[in-house]
Amino acid sequence: MRVCVVGAGVVGVTSAYFLAREGHEVVLVDSRAYPAEVSSFANGGQLSYSYVAPLAGPGVLPSVPGWLLRSDSPLRFRPRLDPHQWRWCLQFALACRASVAQRSTAELQRLSYLSRDVMHRLLEQEPLAFGHLRNGKLIAYRSPELLDKARKLVAYQAGLGAEQRVLDARETLALEPALAGMGASLAGAIYTPSEEAGDCRQFTQALFDRLGALDRVECRMSTEVLGLRTNGPVVTGVRTDAGDIGADAVVLATGVGSRALLRPLGHDVPIYPLKGYSLSVPLSDDDDTAPRISVTDYERRIVYARVGRVLRIAAMVDIGSRDTGIDPARVALLKRQVLEVFPHLDLSDAQPWAGLRPATPTGKPLIGPVRGVDNLWLNIGQGALGFTLACGSAALLTTRMSGVEPPIDDSPFLP
């Protein structure tokens, strides 16, 4: 089957690669000159397989008023005269119910563990260089009350296969001395030794290079997709600024851009852009001011991950920001918060970046065929977990498109 995959971020490239390895003829199309130039460019870098609880949770709604009133809040909301924004926010609020959040966590956990297994098999077959580390992860808490609540999540996730430990402040500092800057404010942490990290852009580029070397694969970069080519309810390819591309099936892996391509077909999807920021801080080989283990500062909602000789720092959720322009005030706030934890970290050469995370209200991606439209498939909505879930999402998509039994139940992710 000839498959046209639209979008060369981490989700699109992994989808194209696994489809090609399954024997399909693949055409990968993207408007940028290089892969991973948009949301996959400088994201958090954590491969957080054991900690995939969605943003929508039972403790979120009570916290929202306080977040919105604080100048240093990890969440900023800009209301717009946009019905889609308000529908998404309503669906998000409904997804914050404990029963929904618990079910979504379990479903995402199964997908993330599949993704981990697929990633490990891939790395056994392909020598991909992307600063990959299996260095574990600490979720650091300032509040003893929140740490106690986290114990319950650890117990729940243990039933799903997660291996995690609850550490007090002394044990946390023994494991990661760089957190000493938190001082008496550190209550403790959740430690997951199996977690990993790496550079998403480098991974995507390396896999893109391997994809281009496979038979019956064509990569058309710097090619803008203008719309989908249809014949009644059947999608027959895509229209681009360089001419039409015919295909037996089309896969949209275009994140927030998917809505514009689906709208002419009378379809919409609950995808909304959540803007986030990152800093890339150069490190020397012997730098001991930055953590060696990946860290999530829970109350600040800031993640830290070493990716090669860079410390990647990612944070913040801006709802209602539609572009990737860098807000100097948000970057300045992020730097102040980073230096509160790592006061000796040199941020003078830190490179700021902003990207749009394509998020669904429940946090679950949409993977599978579009209802009522033949030959059109989606692999979108991974949100902040794009790097973590990419390999598992691509594996689910490939098995479904190839008529093979999926390795896990994929019904929670069907569009």
Side-chain angles (χ1 to χ4, degrees):
M1 181 166 62
R2 178 177 167 88
V3 182
C4 180
V5 178
V6 184
V10 65
V11 173
V13 170
T14 51
S15 298
Y17 175 85
F18 285 112
L19 284 165
R21 288 296 299 263
E22 191 65 22
H24 299 290
E25 180 183 354
V26 173
V27 182
L28 178 65
V29 188
D30 195 278
S31 61
R32 301 298 182 106
Y34 302 100
E37 287 286 296
V38 188
S39 297
S40 301
F41 185 78
N43 59 25
Q46 291 186 349
L47 289 163
S48 185
Y49 298 118
S50 295
Y51 201 85
V52 292
L55 179 62
V60 170
L61 292 183
S63 302
V64 168
W67 285 341
L68 296 181
L69 293 173
R70 281 169 37 198
S71 60
D72 63 347
S73 171
L75 173 68
R76 184 170 63 179
F77 178 65
R78 289 181 174 175
R80 295 183 176 275
L81 295 175
D82 176 7
H84 181 68
Q85 181 191 65
W86 293 101
R87 281 196 304 270
W88 190 94
C89 289
L90 176 60
Q91 291 171 324
F92 178 85
L94 293 174
C96 287
R97 290 173 295 168
S99 59
V100 177
Q102 189 174 65
R103 184 172 65 251
S104 295
T105 297
E107 292 163 348
L108 284 166
Q109 199 89 69
R110 286 190 284 272
L111 178 58
S112 72
Y113 286 162
L114 170 65
S115 198
R116 178 193 61 193
D117 295 343
V118 174
M119 169 71 89
H120 290 174
R121 289 197 298 269
L122 171 64
L123 296 181
E124 290 174 359
Q125 300 167 359
E126 302 281 14
L128 305 177
F130 60 104
H132 184 223
L133 291 174
R134 298 183 182 182
N135 57 345
K137 176 177 175 176
L138 284 165
I139 302 177
Y141 290 86
R142 290 177 168 83
S143 164
E145 292 77 18
L146 289 176
L147 182 61
D148 284 339
K149 287 184 179 180
R151 293 176 189 272
K152 298 177 182 178
L153 181 60
V154 168
Y156 174 68
Q157 293 193 153
L160 302 176
E163 297 181 6
Q164 299 172 310
R165 301 205 318 264
V166 182
L167 308 179
D168 61 22
R170 181 186 58 81
E171 293 169 323
T172 302
L173 292 177
L175 193 61
E176 182 48 81
L179 287 172
M182 294 186 73
S185 67
L186 177 65
I190 305 299
Y191 176 50
T192 310
S194 61
E195 299 293 68
E196 306 171 15
D199 189 295
C200 182
R201 183 191 63 80
Q202 291 179 8
F203 170 81
T204 307
Q205 179 67 62
L207 192 61
F208 176 84
D209 292 341
R210 292 299 306 132
L211 172 68
L214 298 178
D215 293 335
R216 302 204 308 158
V217 171
E218 182 181 358
C219 298
R220 298 195 187 183
M221 305 303 288
S222 301
T223 302
E224 184 177 357
V225 172
L226 304 175
L228 300 174
R229 197 174 74 178
T230 60
N231 181 11
V234 180
V235 171
T236 60
V238 300
R239 296 182 292 103
T240 80
D241 58 358
D244 289 0
I245 300 174
D248 301 312
V250 173
V251 174
L252 298 185
T254 42
V256 296
S258 303
R259 292 187 65 233
L261 294 172
L262 288 167
R263 197 175 297 118
L265 303 181
H267 283 266
D268 201 356
V269 285
I271 297 287
Y272 198 78
L274 303 185
K275 186 175 182 177
Y277 290 83
S278 78
L279 298 172
S280 296
V281 182
L283 299 174
S284 60
D285 290 335
D286 58 349
D287 194 313
D288 59 0
T289 62
R292 297 282 174 182
I293 298 173
S294 292
V295 172
T296 295
D297 182 341
Y298 183 79
E299 280 90 340
R300 298 291 195 191
R301 300 299 198 272
I302 302 175
V303 302
Y304 302 83
R306 282 190 182 241
V307 288
R309 297 180 65 179
V310 168
L311 178 66
R312 181 66 49 72
I313 305 167
M316 300 178 177
V317 174
D318 286 357
I319 301 175
S321 295
R322 297 175 176 174
D323 61 60
T324 56
I326 294 175
D327 183 340
R330 292 296 260 174
V331 172
L333 170 61
L334 178 56
K335 287 183 176 181
R336 289 197 301 271
Q337 293 177 332
V338 169
L339 291 175
E340 288 176 6
V341 179
F342 303 105
H344 303 295
L345 189 63
D346 183 3
L347 300 182
S348 58
D349 293 325
Q351 294 295 314
W353 175 83
L356 301 177
R357 309 175 182 112
T360 65
T362 62
K364 295 186 295 186
L366 303 175
I367 308 167
V370 176
R371 296 177 183 176
V373 182
D374 293 344
N375 305 344
L376 181 60
W377 300 75
L378 301 180
N379 194 359
I380 58 176
Q382 283 77 8
L385 294 171
F387 192 18
T388 296
L389 299 179
C391 285
S393 299
L396 280 191
L397 178 78
T398 299
T399 54
R400 170 74 69 152
M401 293 185 69
S402 302
V404 178
E405 184 72 20
I408 64 171
D409 178 16
D410 65 348
S411 61
F413 312 106
L414 293 175

